[in-house]
């Protein structure tokens, strides 16, 4: 998978972000303090970002690039988490994996009396104007921008190609999921960052008010928490609670090996599908598979260990 | 309009409600404190309910029973409030006016990690279990229950006929608007309270979590604030910010007189529509209309004054 | 079928209509001269209205009140006219027959450069402003207002209750078919005229331009010509070319007798459905039916003859 | 609930039906022999009709007239039967209970090569022509005609008002459920039998072939077996396997008493909803309810016993 | 058109298939015996597969790779077969031709009482468990798997990438048409076999029961018979009764030559479209075309003859 | 952007077109004379084609190939033209710019009485048969064929691959926009001309009548006038009144420079999005941008000047 983005160029930047986080976000209609965020994501086993979001480690993000929706389904349904998948999106780059940490943003239909109060509160916190860029300016490397625009098409375009480009730079190609629309699709098609949206429209965003940054949001039938591990493939997007990230990935390794072996056996043309899949019926085959699994898992773990060591 | 509901029976009850309000609601995922509610509805010209919601006076609620969507549209669009109307509902009792103060409730798709925290917090505030009845138990006379269940059909049934009956009792026939479904439609059809819903389903509510009571909610393309004046007719539902309630009603009086006069003239069969409607072209007719308007307004104001005096 | 409308009151009015017709309608974007109208409806066997539309006689309109969609289907499909039925409407008064002569109106999405020219042309013909009322003012007793508003909901409301009332007065309760919306549904529900529409909305008509009066229009999959016999039942609306009106009605008489007899036989409980319907298998039954048909047709024709004599 | 249908008139008829059953139905594309039918409904605890279908007793049918979808849901979901409910229908008579034994019919899109073979086979069995009336002629008192027309609208009209009338006579007002359409809606609206359909259309049935009578059919997400207890309310239709009929009804009796008591308590206005519903929290209230339940069940059982005795 | 699949590897395998066919399939709910299959496809002019399905010869399958929906439409509508085309699918590999013999499979919504009987019957025939793999294991080279899963998305995934791979191996890249969904779209996208489906979902197949293998099935508005020639292009899928296969292909040859010539003439830029297309008006041009047709048909026939000779 | 089309070959052809225009088009149901066309497009600042349509110059067409929907939106909304964009199409070649002058065609549902008159009138004007090719034969280089087929899918296919090829030749690759369908999608996919359509279908066009050539037509929510500048990108199609063509293009130049500079600054990774976009806050940055704009505009204008000089 080609990653066009020039990583070097961005090494030292975005230091202002950390500072910016200090600015209280209570100005928004849907307030969700850093403490509330920590409380509601208390099962997070990893570090946290300065803003309080769980920080799924970069090494796991890297491993997650090979995940497909089905790999994730198996683990999450076992845990009883059946509401973490959203689909029905248009994809800017089908085939390009979407992986990152959820940075959530919520909009609601504009009503001036409410927005006036929110804007006034924002001003007292040094934010000139609450708008889509207020949130976009806070994006971090590794983030996926997850936006609830309640499926709005006209006036519901979270970004055009300029801000889409900015999101790519700021997140290092993290990605975008919007229950709403984008504009400048021709431009966006030429920028190498995965994007999931409901529609396109030539209008800029309008007739809405920004009501929450890094609050719980709803995307389709899913509740997304800030810091969720976001993984998208051709089918749709999974929002994985951080506490399940490792288990999902480990299970996926086994699934991949199983699929590898299964297809290899099928390619031999000697077996009916039910002799091999879901699991081999014949004890000898079962043994063969288990040996293969063990060997391949060993190789994978070794490879993963080496990768992690190489990272600073 | 027949009102089946036996008002006498309920005179002395619900005193516990006031006490119940003291229990903090911060246990919910989407917290919105009484102070925040007051801040964000600061343009409210009326008293407030114990929970902080604006209290559009009963006399205005009574007058609002004659409003149609079009009466409201004229005033709100003049104010620049174009996002206050929601439609696309199924109506349990078309032709029965829906009028009351918005009591809002929000649900989101269940995820156990988040719900566990919310339930634990609720318990520390003396709430045994956060669920639809937690909110329903707090309803007051004159309320309309406004529920965001994100359009969910299966498992998205806010009430069946038992709780629907309770809502009628508790709100004195106020009503229900749910961006979701109801169950027991046959039973509900026999209970004389207006209800607006997206679908019906035999399942009870499930696979969701209660995330907010009297928080700002989204219904269709509308942001509803707790305490909004809710008015529904055959077409859909308007959520009127309290600061516009009186102006809407006064304007509607004029519209009704205008319509009365217009139809009277049309019935004479002597005029083309454009001679009379929108406003009469002929100066003599214009004068006739203005005199009629003045006279009828006088009558209406007198009648309203008498009604208000009769009320304790 | 109750007809609330006070017919007496309207006897002498609308004389201005005839004069008004003299005003040329070439001002509209889609011009269709009286001569063109006559050319394209040259198979019309009846008189014409002053505006050139075929005038299906009042006596046939009266007979058409008993027609259902199925009665019409049989004759028109035999003629190879399979595109004359439109459905998918909301009905203001299901069960109330819609019958009348098509008065067609066409709107298109507003573009100011085109509308400016049309309005300027209209002014030179003494029409102050081309708008929905320009057409509505031209309605005649017995007309059904048929409007192509290309399915527009918001801003696509051809009438509210005031103009709906006017249409009832002007057409003597003829009716309305609009591929668009209406407003003031509560008001319209109390006015006793059949109406077929796609949606309701609180907005008034706007963002469109009037582009044709009594031009050919498209309603669903149907081409409607001015003067078509419009017949609507619970299922939808048929637009019958005038040249088939009599044949449709005569055939319907036979269908009604056939249905009468068929149900009578079914009620006896002695026959399987296929022994009686479509047509009786047994020669004796066949004879019985044919005698019945003959007798009843005779009765009906006598009754029709008497009715026609009574009319001035 | 008014039952317009003159039951007396039909007492002695339809004796030919029994004979007719002897005619083999193997002519159809989807054959399902009487033995197969018996095998696949082997859990049926009741007698069988001559055609092999389970015969839910008339007394249970009578009791089932008070069922709502929710009453049924509770028992079936407990049994793990979650696919027995279909909705999304238009109802000819909302509020009129649909109750009866499923008589199933299946159509598929016409292809002449297949239909020719089926028709030829039919002829060798004395059936002149396989068509909708072939099935309709076989209907029995107490049947509900359940038809899979794969949602077809145009040419998918199982009956018009004539055959609808016949179905009413033959089934004694049993009813119709069609995943397809009907024609002559105006006529059908005047015939007092419940009907559930997807659409209406003026065309007669066509471009399809009859492929099965009393075979398993699919209606929405439901597999319907011949002889299923069909119960429809305003929400939709339940197809209840006969082995659960009695348990559903007994459970429903308890639900009705529970609802009765719950509403009575709510009407007192002294309790919050959660004190009473789902079940009373307070031991004294719980006792009160249990006593009430016992007493009312006793009354109901007595009443049911008397009814059954009165029946011949 | 690249065919990635390694044909050599599979030459000697699948011999067990023939034997497997001997196992009776009467265990299924929708039984359709080999004799019934033969009866209902009696117009088949070709050999039959061991399971009784018509075997459209490999040489015709090869020729069919150039067919488009329009080539087929012309012949089938002439024969009066207007229900053989299904569309509205998502395509895994647009531009890759789908060609093969229909192997049909039917599922219905699960109901345990029925499935228990079917599974018990299956066991007596040596089938451990009726499931999707029961059918998949029976696939033959040249087959297209055609599955009626009644449009089910969630739990309606006939295969993921493992079984999709198996289907490719077993059918030699034949293909898949499912009125339902698939999972593992990312994986499937990398496997070079045409696939037509309604949706994707991360869930595995469930909550359904296998009710028929090689029975007549309905896909959209089409009745598919086992052994139909399946041809899919970017628009959708045609199911061609075998008796028309040769005529369709011969006619298509003429259509292709006609298109070739037509475009050649258009490219000259000397003619208006109507001078050349549908057929040339000018006698000289007509002659030119007829000569061209004759010459090219000769070439094609020669080429086809050579190809057939080369095949063993 | 590769242009496959061999321009040389077509240099001298189509001279007959001019003559052909002389043939009166009044034969059509929706007549719109050359004078009417000129009247209603009187703001056109450019020359006109022989048929009266505004002729947006070739040089502007060339510049328009870089336009995106958003570039156009900015100018048109400023002018108050909000109804000029249509979307919801399937694109044959996403990423290939659609640019040309609107050649409009209108169809309506067939009714024989009307079509007979139109065909007879056509014959008197030397047109053998009014049909899609009547219009297609009149296409000019630089045209985009814009067809109102009222969203018809079955029988609503304006062209198959043969006529699509012809349209490409005649318009020099101009393009097609049809509110209807096309057939032969596989063939069309191989012909290098942009095409926007609603659906595909194997049927040829039928059951419609040609009612207007170069009349005002409605495409989605847009009124298209003959001669409009048609510009399509991945999102949809803009129909630009000629009087705005130059202003749109000039404004787009500035937008492109703005986007260029904005992305350049974003790529530096030193700024938050709101410091740069919509316009730079910092005066120094603002100055930098303005200098850049000036310089780049100069370069562009020079380049445009050179291009125009090179053209004959």
């Amino acid at each position: 998978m080609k990653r066009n983005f020039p990583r070097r160029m961005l090494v030292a930047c975005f230091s202002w972000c950390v500072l910016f986080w200090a600015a209280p976000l209570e100005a928004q209609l849907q307030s969700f303090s850093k403490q509330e965020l920590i409380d509601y994501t208390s099962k997070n086993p990893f570090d946290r970002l300065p803003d309080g979001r769980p920080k799924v480690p970069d090494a796991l993000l890297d491993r997650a690039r090979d995940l497909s929706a089905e790999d994730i389904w198996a683990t999450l349904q076992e845990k009883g988490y059946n509401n973490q998948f959203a689909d029905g999106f248009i994809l800017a780059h089908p085939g390009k994996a979407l992986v990152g940490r959820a940075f959530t943003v919520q909009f609601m239909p504009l009503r001036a009396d409410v927005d006036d109060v929110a804007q006034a509160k924002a001003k007292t916190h040094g934010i000139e104007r609450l708008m889509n860029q207020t949130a976009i300016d806070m994006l971090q490397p590794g983030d996926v921008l997850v936006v609830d625009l309640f499926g709005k098409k006209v006036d519901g375009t979270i970004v055009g190609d300029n801000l889409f480009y900015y999101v790519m730079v700021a997140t290092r190609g993290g990605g975008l999921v919007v229950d709403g629309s984008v504009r400048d699709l021709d431009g966006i098609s030429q920028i190498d960052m995965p994007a999931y949206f409901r529609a396109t429209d030539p209008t800029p965003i309008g007739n809405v008010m920004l009501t929450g940054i890094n609050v719980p949001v709803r995307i389709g039938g899913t509740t997304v928490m800030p810091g969720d591990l976001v993984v998208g493939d051709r089918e749709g997007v999974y929002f994985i609670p951080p506490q399940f990230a490792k288990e999902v990935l480990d299970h996926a390794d086994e699934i991949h090996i199983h699929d590898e072996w299964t297809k290899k056996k099928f390619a031999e043309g000697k077996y009916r599908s039910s002799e091999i899949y879901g699991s081999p019926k014949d004890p000898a085959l079962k043994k063969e598979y288990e040996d293969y699994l063990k060997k391949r898992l060993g190789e994978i773990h070794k490879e993963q260990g080496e990768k992690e060591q190489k990272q600073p």
Side-chain angles (χ1 to χ4, degrees), chain A:
Chain A
M1 202 168 26
K2 186 164 59 77
R3 291 286 299 280
N4 291 350
F5 196 73
R7 286 178 178 245
R8 289 169 313 274
M9 195 176 68
L10 294 161
V11 172
C13 74
F14 290 107
S15 55
W16 47 262
C17 289
V18 181
L19 297 174
F20 190 62
W21 280 114
L25 288 173
E26 289 139 28
Q28 305 151 39
L29 185 62
Q30 307 277 12
S31 61
F32 199 63
S33 70
K34 186 170 165 178
Q35 188 54 49
E36 283 175 306
L37 175 49
I38 291 170
D39 287 357
Y40 276 100
T41 59
S42 57
K43 287 183 186 152
N44 166 47
F46 308 116
D47 283 350
R48 286 183 185 273
L49 291 157
D51 54 17
R53 283 184 295 151
K55 186 180 176 186
V56 177
D58 287 350
L60 292 193
L61 294 191
D62 268 2
R63 283 180 61 194
R65 285 186 197 287
D66 289 330
L67 286 175
S68 74
E70 287 69 23
D71 299 334
I72 303 164
W73 179 86
T75 304
L76 289 194
Q77 68 89 18
E78 200 186 285
K79 305 286 177 191
Y81 282 70
N82 294 314
N83 300 330
Q84 300 306 118
F85 179 70
D87 59 6
F89 295 98
I90 304 173
L91 276 69
H93 299 288
K96 182 167 182 62
L98 169 78
V99 173
R101 303 175 192 101
F103 183 104
T104 68
V105 182
Q106 190 196 51
F107 290 85
M108 291 181 78
L110 178 67
R111 55 186 275 178
D113 52 357
V114 171
D115 195 41
D116 287 352
V117 178
Q119 295 291 359
K121 290 199 179 200
K123 223 159 241 162
T124 69
H125 290 97
I127 296 165
E128 199 188 341
R129 197 170 152 60
L130 277 178
M131 57 187 299
N132 57 340
Q133 286 177 267
T134 314
I136 288 170
D137 278 356
M138 296 163 69
L139 287 167
Q140 299 288 310
D143 284 353
V144 171
L145 179 60
V146 178
V147 184
D148 176 5
L149 258 159
F150 48 98
K152 197 172 174 60
K153 179 184 182 291
V154 178
D155 302 334
T157 50
I158 181 65
V159 294
D161 63 347
N162 286 307
L163 289 180
F164 189 84
Y165 188 86
Y166 179 84
V167 172
M168 183 194 64
V169 171
T171 63
R172 265 66 154 178
L176 167 68
V177 179
V178 56
D179 190 358
S181 57
V182 297
R183 65 196 301 239
D184 294 299
L185 182 56
D186 269 2
I188 283 174
S189 299
Q190 293 158 30
I191 299 171
D192 190 30
M193 178 175 77
Y196 292 67
F197 45 88
R198 299 288 185 203
T200 60
D201 205 73
T203 58
I205 194 168
N207 197 24
V208 294
M209 51 188 183
L210 177 72
T211 51
I213 297 178
N214 279 329
V215 300
V217 297
R218 186 176 61 75
I219 301 291
T222 300
T223 297
V224 185
M225 295 296 286
D228 276 354
L229 170 56
V230 184
V231 177
D233 68 359
R234 272 170 221 262
E235 289 183 33
V237 183
Y238 253 108
F239 301 96
I240 307 170
Q243 62 269 30
F244 302 129
K246 184 143 188 333
E247 195 165 341
V248 162
L249 286 161
D250 289 346
H251 191 175
D253 284 342
E254 293 190 34
I255 294 173
H256 292 176
I257 295 166
H258 175 261
D259 291 358
E260 207 175 83
W261 185 82
T262 300
K263 286 179 192 153
K264 214 165 59 82
K265 300 312 283 183
F266 283 168
E268 295 177 15
K270 291 189 297 196
Y271 307 96
R272 275 184 271 164
S273 83
S274 56
E275 292 174 281
I276 300 294
Y277 181 84
S279 55
K281 299 280 177 305
D282 180 64
L285 278 173
K286 198 165 184 123
K287 177 74 168 51
E288 180 189 325
Y289 169 63
E290 277 157 8
D291 292 348
Y292 185 88
L293 175 63
K294 210 169 151 186
K295 190 185 117 231
R296 288 289 292 121
L297 270 182
E299 291 167 7
I300 284 172
H301 292 162
K302 203 179 145 209
E303 193 185 344
Q304 284 168 359
E306 283 166 5
K307 257 198 201 163
E308 276 163 39
Q309 279 192 326
K310 273 185 203 159
Q311 291 190 341

